[in-house]
Amino acid sequence: MSQKGSRQEKTSSHSTELYTEVPSTCLPIVYSPDYNITFMGFEKLHPFDAGKWGKVIRFLKEEQLITDGNIVAAREAAEEDLLVVHTRRYLNKLKNHILEGSREWSIVVATITEIPPLLFLPNFLVQRKVLRPLRTQTGGTIMAGKLAIDRGWAINVGGGFHHCSSDKGGGFCAYADITLAIKFLFERVEGVSKATIIDLDAHQGNGHERDFLDDNRVYIMDAYNRYIYPGDGYAKRAIKRKVELDWGTEDPEYLQKVELHVEGALNEMRPDIVVYNAGTDILDGDPLGGLAISPQGIIKRDEIIFKAARGRQIPILMVTSGGYQKRTARIIADSIINLNNQGLVDCDCAAREAGPSHVPLMMSQSVSAGT
């Protein structure tokens, strides 16, 4: 079920290391150990499991689905990559700090990550221990976007920072990886001019919604708990299919609505790529999601999305997004295993069949960036 043939690359705006050659022996699964955030225990002050991405990989290795040698190593998104979407003003805010005596206070990052003690740490440490992992996950999403076009599917084991837009972060989202992946494809890959975002995290994806508010090339379906963060009414104007859920929604109602609206969305506009934000914070008992979906329901949900996209031969990129319980890593791994068992991804021979994904490293030096 691999996508045959690589599409022609366009003349691009800047030199990047994110669209480099990927060996055909690699599966289109993107990850780096640098995704995981471990820093003096501060990561435990947010309910997010900041090491879940490594746990997913460990489970997949234990099931012999992957090895270190056959997955794609994510690269950190450079500043020039981030400027494809983000304004310099916003990126500078992540670097800036408040000086008090000889101390540097990281106020903006503390606000975005919702970890107040980061406020009292030097910014250079916060850059290294918190923002670099998030930039690496962002690079992974951009890389996976191109892999999805070339191979028919791709999974970034991290990413899904759907509360971040071009000029504002929030909700543990410092970089707009979904917007970036789509805009990279629009700018760099011939024949990619329409995208559908299917956002099934428990929270509204207000970041990419704000970024694509007036862009008819991007169709957004968003299913979320209507009563929780962020409640961004302005961003909701970008949603073409809005599925607002009530507290405690369970499997039967949820899966029925997901299948109905995904089929409707893909029938309404046929995109060149589906970006699937597969948050697991819909899981019953999640402290932030407020829904009541079982592990089996999450696995079935992912199967529905992949079946809808792959049945139409539409490339699909999956990112893992939110999920605030320790057991979510196991569920994500089990879902990927199920996708393989169902023939919706091919971790056995897809890599051997596919050709390399390649975009030249040296490109024109102009930067399409905000102000």
Side-chain angles (χ1 to χ4, degrees):
M1 294 182 73
S2 62
Q3 190 83 0
K4 298 296 184 182
S6 177
R7 304 195 192 193
Q8 182 180 356
E9 298 104 18
K10 299 177 182 177
T11 301
S12 306
S13 57
H14 74 281
S15 174
T16 185
E17 294 190 358
L18 299 180
Y19 270 21
T20 58
E21 184 174 334
V22 172
S24 61
T25 52
C26 284
L27 296 166
I29 296 176
V30 184
Y31 170 73
S32 167
D34 292 340
Y35 282 12
N36 302 290
I37 300 172
T38 53
F39 184 32
M40 297 166 55
F42 282 108
E43 70 279 1
K44 297 175 183 176
L45 297 174
H46 191 283
F48 195 88
D49 179 3
K52 79 172 184 180
W53 309 287
K55 294 173 187 173
V56 172
I57 292 296
R58 189 179 82 239
F59 293 139
L60 293 176
K61 286 180 183 175
E62 288 173 357
E63 298 294 331
Q64 300 185 328
L65 200 72
I66 64 169
T67 66
D68 284 331
N70 73 0
I71 59 175
V72 179
R75 300 187 180 199
E76 180 184 351
E79 181 151 324
E80 296 300 287
D81 298 320
L82 298 172
L83 284 167
V84 169
V85 166
H86 289 294
T87 63
R88 285 193 185 274
R89 180 173 175 270
Y90 173 71
L91 294 180
N92 286 338
K93 280 185 180 179
L94 298 179
K95 300 174 190 173
N96 288 347
H97 43 259
I98 298 173
L99 294 177
E100 183 176 305
S102 61
R103 294 297 300 271
E104 303 172 345
W105 310 101
S106 303
I107 188 168
V108 174
V109 180
T111 302
I112 289 171
T113 59
E114 301 172 349
I115 304 175
L118 293 184
L119 172 64
F120 304 108
L121 294 175
N123 188 263
F124 79 91
L125 279 178
V126 172
Q127 289 286 331
R128 186 185 310 159
K129 295 293 188 176
V130 178
L131 291 181
R132 183 182 293 170
L134 300 183
R135 285 193 296 269
T136 306
Q137 292 191 44
T138 297
T141 300
I142 296 168
M143 294 168 71
K146 180 60 164 60
L147 279 166
I149 294 297
D150 289 346
R151 307 287 185 87
W153 65 276
I155 297 170
N156 181 16
V157 174
F161 304 132
H162 66 156
H163 297 308
C164 188
S165 61
S166 63
D167 61 358
K168 186 177 182 182
F172 208 79
C173 302
Y175 303 105
D177 67 316
I178 291 173
T179 307
L180 279 159
I182 291 171
K183 291 205 170 180
F184 259 70
L185 289 171
F186 284 173
E187 289 185 7
R188 293 172 181 270
V189 181
E190 201 70 48
V192 180
S193 60
K194 294 185 295 182
T196 291
I197 299 171
I198 297 172
D199 195 333
L200 300 186
D201 186 276
H203 301 80
Q204 177 199 349
N206 61 320
H208 58 73
E209 288 161 9
R210 283 177 171 262
D211 286 334
F212 292 120
L213 190 63
D214 299 312
D215 194 334
N216 290 327
R217 298 174 299 175
V218 180
Y219 184 109
I220 298 174
M221 170 187 158
D222 199 348
Y224 54 88
N225 183 337
R226 70 175 78 212
Y227 300 110
I228 61 174
Y229 177 90
D232 190 337
Y234 179 79
K236 287 180 184 179
R237 295 163 48 203
I239 304 173
K240 300 292 196 299
R241 279 190 177 254
K242 182 168 55 179
V243 185
E244 296 194 316
L245 303 168
D246 292 318
W247 292 108
T249 298
E250 297 180 348
D251 288 15
E253 177 187 352
Y254 180 78
L255 293 173
Q256 182 183 31
K257 286 183 174 179
V258 164
E259 186 160 22
L260 173 69
H261 288 286
V262 166
E263 291 291 327
L266 295 181
N267 288 339
E268 198 166 316
M269 185 185 89
R270 182 182 176 88
D272 300 305
I273 188 166
V274 168
V275 180
Y276 172 36
N277 198 45
T280 46
D281 52 0
I282 64 170
L283 181 65
D284 187 24
D286 189 278
L288 300 183
L291 303 176
I293 309 306
S294 70
Q296 295 75 22
I298 291 174
I299 291 167
K300 183 63 179 177
R301 174 200 68 173
D302 295 351
E303 182 182 320
I304 288 169
I305 304 307
F306 270 76
K307 191 172 291 184
R310 305 233 58 200
R312 292 171 171 80
Q313 297 186 312
I314 302 170
I316 180 169
L317 158 62
M318 172 177 156
V319 290
T320 57
S321 201
Y324 306 94
Q325 298 184 73
K326 296 297 184 184
R327 58 188 178 138
T328 59
R330 179 75 253 182
I331 295 167
I332 293 167
D334 286 344
S335 180
I336 295 171
I337 292 165
N338 179 64
L339 292 173
N340 184 62
N341 291 342
Q342 297 296 325
L344 296 169
V345 304
D346 192 343
C347 295
D348 301 316
C349 63
R352 292 194 295 273
E353 293 176 354
S357 169
H358 177 69
V359 171
L361 279 175
M362 295 309 298
M363 302 172 184
S364 62
Q365 298 300 310
S366 62
V367 178
S368 60
T371 56

